[in-house]
Amino acid sequence: MTNFRKLGRHAGHRISMLRTLVSQLVKHERIETTVTKAKEVRRLADNMIQLGKEGSLDSARRAAGFVRGDDVLHKIFTELAYRYKDRDGGYTRLLRTRIRVGDAAPMAYIEFIDRENELRQSNPATPQPPQRVPLDPWDKSRLMKQVAPTKEEKVSDSQL
């Protein structure tokens, strides 16, 4: 948990605020906050989902030391871990919404993807191209000779 944005707060207040935001995101699955806070929450929320997918006692204790509430911890290790078991990362989406009236701060929704009542549907996973069998170096050189003419052939063609 290093290299955070400062967010205009001292360390204790910043960590406490981020813990609360992550817990509320897990609980409600969508929250509206400023863009810079949402970018920090995205990192931490993705880490909590990774801990939930691991499912070990150590990861449960690490997550319990960060999120607030047993109901939030239970949701991470049951519902969210099951929902994202096949996904390698990118569990959250950031959608910019408006400019806040009081201080003109840019606001954004941060939400979990692949859930009901999404603001925007997620794109389907792109299929991976089929694996090509690597060519033997000698076969590769023979194929290159078939495609490109040699220098002697070029010279003989130009003399005609």
Side-chain angles (χ1 to χ4, degrees), residues 71-133:
D71 57 338
V72 173
L73 188 64
H74 183 265
K75 187 172 183 177
I76 289 174
F77 279 84
T78 56
E79 183 181 336
L80 296 178
Y82 178 75
R83 185 189 302 170
Y84 299 120
K85 67 177 184 249
D86 295 330
R87 184 177 283 273
D88 291 334
Y91 310 112
T92 54
R93 171 187 301 129
L94 200 97
L95 297 170
R96 294 171 187 257
T97 56
R98 63 189 174 97
I99 302 296
R100 190 162 54 193
V101 173
D103 58 353
M107 301 295 286
Y109 279 119
I110 181 168
E111 68 176 1
F112 285 116
I113 60 173
D114 297 336
R115 67 178 189 90
E116 296 177 4
N117 301 326
E118 284 185 293
L119 293 177
R120 189 179 76 198
Q121 295 297 321
S122 59
N123 296 333
T126 56
Q128 295 294 327
Q131 292 290 334
R132 292 185 3 187
V133 179

Side-chain angles (χ1 to χ4, degrees), residues 18-43:
L18 291 173
R19 288 177 62 189
T20 303
L21 285 172
V22 170
S23 300
Q24 291 300 311
L25 175 64
V26 170
K27 186 175 182 180
H28 299 290
E29 296 195 10
R30 180 194 308 149
I31 57 174
E32 185 179 22
T33 183
T34 62
V35 172
T36 53
K37 288 179 193 171
K39 287 179 180 180
E40 284 302 309
V41 168
R42 176 175 50 189
R43 292 173 50 195

Side-chain angles (χ1 to χ4, degrees), residues 137-154:
W138 299 109
D139 291 338
K140 189 174 180 181
S141 65
R142 280 189 225 114
L143 287 174
M144 292 304 290
K145 287 179 183 176
Q146 292 174 359
V147 173
T150 60
K151 286 184 180 180
E152 296 92 21
E153 292 174 2
K154 286 183 184 177

